Amino acid sequence: MDFKIQWFPGHMTKAKRMMEQQLKLVDVVVEMLDARVPRSSTNPMLNQLLGQKPKIIALNKVDMADPAKTEAWKEIFKNNGLPVCVIDCNGVKQLVAAVQKAAQPVIDKWLKRGVKNRSIRVMIVGIPNVGKSTLINRLVGKNKVLAADKPGVTRGQQWVTIAKGLELLDTPGVLWPKFDDPQIGLNLALTGAIKEDVYDREQAAWLLTEKLIAAYQELLKDKYAIDFEAGAPVQDVFEKIAVSRGCLKSGGLLDLDKVVQLVLRDFRSGKTGRVTLDEPDK
């Protein structure tokens, strides 16, 4: 089953242009990724725009991701010369320290030129709904930045002071114009980066369940109190979930539409368990 999606609305084009302009103003870039889909949430346009600016990877939603695969992804980034911070209870301090370290060569150049007491300017970028605004709220310590659990909610952009000598610029989430790999489009849809009205939710839930049957069978069984054989058809698993969760229409017919909603909602909220969709060995 081939999952197709193409989405590049006008405000995304505007956001990309704005990002190009504001990259000229910053010294360090933090790319925030969803730990469940580190490859899929990486914006391929960013490296083209960055040039030689230092970049740091911030892995968010690690509490929803497969711990072993998160460790493997961290090693992949480190082996590619990218500092990695995990955004957990200690992640904010680590991120600030990583930014300061990455900015040191810039500071050294300033000192040679006689420039003193200039703040390091940082920009956090990432796809919609990855958690940038929530991170900025934690960095600042006050809810100065609007955050919500839906894509595209951060409308404007603003500078905020996050530590002595560090200023940060918030940016809207930016998607790229074409998903050459249909798996990337699917993963972004499943994690909530893409609005539901531009893809087939039933197909997305079907493909997600197919993945869970193959890689996270026990999580699926435990979550919905069901049992099935390895490699069971998705239709059979949907029907078992419907019975277990009472997803019924009048007359006792199974309501598979409710199952679709349930499967997608549980995955996005982390209630399914700790799942990583992007395999680190591919």
Side-chain angles (χ1 to χ4, degrees):
M1 189 181 293
D2 192 14
F3 188 82
K4 294 182 179 180
I5 182 168
Q6 295 298 332
W7 183 53
F8 199 48
H11 77 274
M12 291 290 180
T13 307
K14 181 180 177 182
K16 177 177 177 285
R17 284 199 302 265
M18 199 177 296
M19 181 186 289
E20 288 175 320
Q21 295 168 2
Q22 292 176 333
L23 273 170
K24 299 172 184 176
L25 305 176
V26 300
D27 308 301
V28 179
V29 173
V30 175
E31 184 173 22
M32 197 168 192
L33 305 181
D34 187 325
R36 299 169 296 175
V37 288
R39 180 187 296 109
S40 298
S41 56
T42 299
N43 192 330
M45 291 192 304
L46 183 58
N47 284 340
Q48 300 169 14
L49 301 176
L50 269 181
Q52 298 301 311
K53 290 186 190 295
K55 184 173 83 166
I56 296 166
I57 298 296
L59 281 178
N60 197 26
K61 306 191 180 183
V62 289
D63 57 324
M64 300 182 186
D66 184 322
K69 291 180 182 178
T70 295
E71 289 302 313
W73 273 110
K74 285 166 63 179
E75 286 304 308
I76 288 171
F77 289 124
K78 288 176 183 176
N79 290 340
N80 281 279
L82 289 168
V84 183
C85 290
V86 171
I87 305 303
D88 54 17
C89 57
N90 299 313
V92 170
K93 289 182 179 179
Q94 292 174 3
L95 181 59
V96 169
V99 168
Q100 291 169 330
K101 183 177 179 181
Q104 193 56 51
V106 178
I107 295 172
D108 292 342
K109 286 182 182 179
W110 291 346
L111 292 175
K112 286 181 181 178
R113 295 174 186 168
V115 178
K116 298 179 181 179
N117 300 321
R118 202 202 115 175
S119 293
I120 293 295
R121 290 178 174 174
V122 189
M123 191 160 112
I124 295 179
V125 299
I127 60 170
N129 206 37
V130 77
K132 296 187 308 298
S133 295
T134 301
L135 172 60
I136 293 171
N137 290 344
R138 290 176 62 191
L139 285 166
V140 178
K142 298 176 183 178
N143 290 332
K144 291 183 179 178
V145 183
L146 179 64
D149 189 22
K150 59 182 179 180
V153 93
T154 307
R155 307 280 180 203
Q157 301 186 7
Q158 55 191 305
W159 289 98
V160 287
T161 300
I162 57 173
K164 185 178 180 181
L166 281 183
E167 293 180 356
L168 187 143
L169 177 66
D170 181 35
T171 59
V174 179
L175 286 172
W176 42 105
K178 184 178 180 182
F179 304 121
D180 293 320
D181 183 348
Q183 188 64 47
I184 289 177
L186 171 64
N187 288 347
L188 294 177
L190 291 174
T191 52
I194 298 173
K195 295 178 180 178
E196 288 191 343
D197 57 358
V198 297
Y199 64 87
D200 185 332
R201 287 193 308 161
E202 182 179 351
Q203 185 187 25
W206 186 285
L207 292 170
L208 170 62
T209 305
E210 199 172 64
K211 171 81 172 179
L212 295 174
I213 291 170
Y216 294 98
Q217 183 176 321
E218 295 307 315
L219 287 182
L220 201 54
K221 289 179 179 179
D222 291 345
K223 172 60 186 171
Y224 298 110
I226 59 175
D227 193 26
F228 54 87
E229 297 297 324
V234 173
Q235 181 72 20
D236 290 357
V237 173
F238 272 12
E239 291 175 0
K240 289 177 182 291
I241 293 173
V243 172
S244 176
R245 288 304 177 91
C247 298
L248 305 173
K249 299 178 181 177
S250 58
L253 296 174
L254 300 181
D255 190 341
L256 297 186
D257 287 340
K258 283 188 177 179
V259 173
V260 165
Q261 295 173 29
L262 185 66
V263 168
L264 290 176
R265 186 172 65 245
D266 285 345
F267 172 72
R268 286 179 188 148
S269 65
K271 291 180 180 178
T272 305
R274 301 183 71 170
V275 173
T276 297
L277 298 178
D278 277 336
E279 295 293 337
D281 58 348
K282 293 183 181 179

